[in-house]
Every structure is written in structure tokens, then in C-alpha cells.
Amino acid sequence: MKKISILMMAVAAMTVIACSSNIAKYDVTGVNAPQDGAVVYLVDRILSAPIDSAVVAGGSFNMKGNAEKNAFLSVSFDDDWYYPLFNDGKPIRINLADSTLTGSPLNTKLSEWDKKDAAAYAEYYSFIEDFLSLPEAEQQAREEEFVAQYEDKLQKYTDSFMNIIEENMDNLIPVAFISHVPSLAGKDKFNELVASDAPFAQHPYVLDLKRRLDLTEALQKAVAGNQQTIVGQKFLDLEEADPDGKMHKLSEYVGQGKWVLVDFWASWCAPCKAEMPNVVAAYKKYHSKGFDIVGLSFDKEKDPWLQAIKDWEMPWIHLSDLKYWDTKASEVYSVNAIPDNLLIDPQGTVVARGLRGAALEARLAEIFE
């Protein structure tokens, strides 16, 4: 789970490419909207901010105005529904009853591709949900089977997604999908597309996205370097509350003669849940030999935190200030993604970071066996 940097959001706003004088009118109408009185927004996708809004009345709404020609926009309401579009000067009509968007040939085609992608993603994601709905014991028993099938499902969805790009190299439609290319097909593929002479490659949204991705990559490298400076150094102390609200310092448990894994996690973090069986297994195997764990949670609400401790069967020390990504642990140890952890020796020196799965087991086996 990645931390969203406030700095990055500020930079995104400041680095928007200046609009030219090429302006087009927009005229967006919606019908069969489910909730009268609801506010509908027309969002500029570079700024991620509304440029217009309307109130649903009698099941319909309308927004008219001016914006940059071919600007990448979207119509949304409370994250319940969302329709991407280009401001090419042609009227747009959205039927909320069947989720269809019609307008210019470009926008009608974009809507059709968007629905196909949504269906493909739903098939991929339902596979994951079905597995996570199984009892924990069954999940563990079928883990290898799931991993193999998951890789196939992910590749199938990736191929389907990239087909959208490949089928539309002669128009702007890839603008609406290209932000997912780095995570699905890799940053090199993204850079290749941006460097092409395709019409979408020089769209302001694409160029702004590349600028932000490049900056994010540079910041992540800087953070990673900062994170690794702790390895070989004494741990840094901090103070947070236990589940009963009593304050404890990390130094009460670390540097006191035991090997300690300081585990950064949260109840809302799906990768943390997937990794936790490995951590539990390591604790059960090596706790009696002098291994302990201190969990530092990135939760923001107490009840889900406590419920996860119980449900995920985590019988070790737990601390949290319930400040989400503003937690002291994130600040002190430069944590920008979870799960993450530190392995600390009996004298309080950090010897490793980010040990997961087989890597954690191998390092503990090396120490204790």
C-alpha cells in the first residue's frame, strides 16, 4: 500500500501545462440519474479538481461552459459513477440507467472501451474477492494454487487492457487509460508510448502524467536511500499507545537482549493481510528461542485495529497512535509503503529491512538454527 504524498499533490497542481487559447464549449447532459438533489461534478483530470457542477433535478442534470479543447475530463458523483470524456466541442449525453455515454464519435467510442475495460477488471477482481472470502485455513491451504491462477488472471487482464492502447494508436482514447500502463506493463512501456508519434503522446494530460511519474520515481529513490541508511545503525526510539491506551516506548522492547522484528502494518492493508501468515509462522517457530515482534500499526480507527489483531491471530506487542500515514512510525523510519519491517539484533542494531515471506524465514533460520 503506497502512501500518497502531500508534496506530490502540490507538485501536480503546480506543474499543470499551461492552457493555450484553443477553447471549446462543453455541454454535458445526464438523464435517469438515481438521486435528485445530488451534486454532479465535471472534473479536470490534470488538476483532479472540479471545473463545474450541477444539481440533479427530476432525474437529470446539465453543465455548460468553456474548457481547453480536447481536455481530458470526467463526470462523477460521490465516486459511485464516473464517465471519462474529451472536451471536443460536441454535446455529451449520459444515460445513468444503462451507463451509456454518447456524443462525438471519439467520446462514444471511448465510452464503449471504458465499459469493456470495466467488465474485464470486474472479472479479474472478483477472482481475488472470491479467494479472500474463503476461511483463513482454506486460503492457506490453497495459497500456491491461488498464486498460480492469480498470475494468469493478471496477465489476461493486462493483455486486455493493453489491447485498448494498441487498437487506438491513431486517436486520443489511450489518454484515458495510460495512467495504468506503468503498473501493468511497466514504466519502460509507458515511456515508449509517450515517446511515440501517436496523437495521444503529446496530450497535456499524458505529458503532465509523465512529469509526475518521473518526479515520484526520483523521490522514491531518495526515500529508499534514506530508508536503507538505518540498516547497520541503532534503532530510533518512539512512543505510541498499546490497545489499552497506555503509552510505551519502543526501547522497552528493543535492544533488551532479544531479536525483534518491528512490523509496520494496518488492518486496511490487503498486502499486509496476505503477508501476515508468514509473520505469524515465524513468531510461532522462533519466539521460544528469543524472537519477538512489535507491531506498529498505521490504522486510524481503534476498532478495526483491535479486530485485525484478533482475527489475524497476532499474539505479540502492538502499538499505534492511530494517525494513519501521519503516524510517528512513518516519520521516524521513512515508511512510505506497507507492509514493511525492521529486524533488530539483541543490542538494538538494525540488521535488515523489508524481509517478507521466504526472505524472513531464511534470515531467522540463519540466526536461530
Side-chain angles (χ1 to χ4, degrees), residues 124-141:
Y124 157 70
Y125 192 70
S126 66
F127 166 75
I128 300 173
E129 286 188 317
D130 289 344
F131 178 78
L132 294 177
S133 68
L134 298 173
E136 188 171 344
E138 189 172 352
Q139 288 185 33
Q140 293 179 10

Side-chain angles (χ1 to χ4, degrees), residues 18-60:
C19 292
S20 71
S21 59
N22 195 13
I23 300 297
K25 293 181 179 180
Y26 60 80
D27 183 349
V28 182
T29 299
V31 297
N32 296 317
Q35 185 179 346
D36 280 1
V39 181
V40 181
Y41 298 97
L42 184 64
V43 177
D44 183 298
R45 296 298 300 278
I46 294 182
L47 289 173
S48 295
I51 60 172
D52 202 350
S53 64
V55 177
V56 177
S60 65

Side-chain angles (χ1 to χ4, degrees), residues 233-289:
Q233 306 296 317
K234 288 291 184 179
F235 78 97
L236 303 174
D237 208 3
L238 55 82
E239 187 176 34
E240 294 185 353
D242 67 14
D244 295 324
K246 183 179 179 181
M247 299 300 293
H248 292 275
K249 290 186 176 181
L250 192 58
S251 55
E252 294 176 38
Y253 314 105
V254 177
Q256 302 297 321
K258 289 186 175 183
W259 284 88
V260 179
L261 186 76
V262 176
D263 189 43
F264 307 109
W265 71 287
S267 65
W268 46 262
C269 169
C272 298
K273 183 177 182 180
E275 175 64 17
M276 202 55 68
N278 297 320
V279 182
V280 171
Y283 181 84
K284 290 179 178 178
K285 187 172 183 178
Y286 297 109
H287 178 60
S288 62
K289 299 181 180 182

Side-chain angles (χ1 to χ4, degrees), residues 93-135:
R93 185 178 188 275
I94 303 170
N95 188 336
L96 278 299
D98 58 8
S99 296
T100 59
L101 181 151
T102 54
S104 66
L106 176 66
N107 278 314
T108 300
K109 189 177 181 182
L110 170 59
S111 177
E112 292 169 356
W113 279 111
D114 187 53
K115 290 173 74 172
K116 289 179 182 178
D117 179 60
Y121 182 79
E123 179 182 350
Y124 157 70
Y125 192 70
S126 66
F127 166 75
I128 300 173
E129 286 188 317
D130 289 344
F131 178 78
L132 294 177
S133 68
L134 298 173

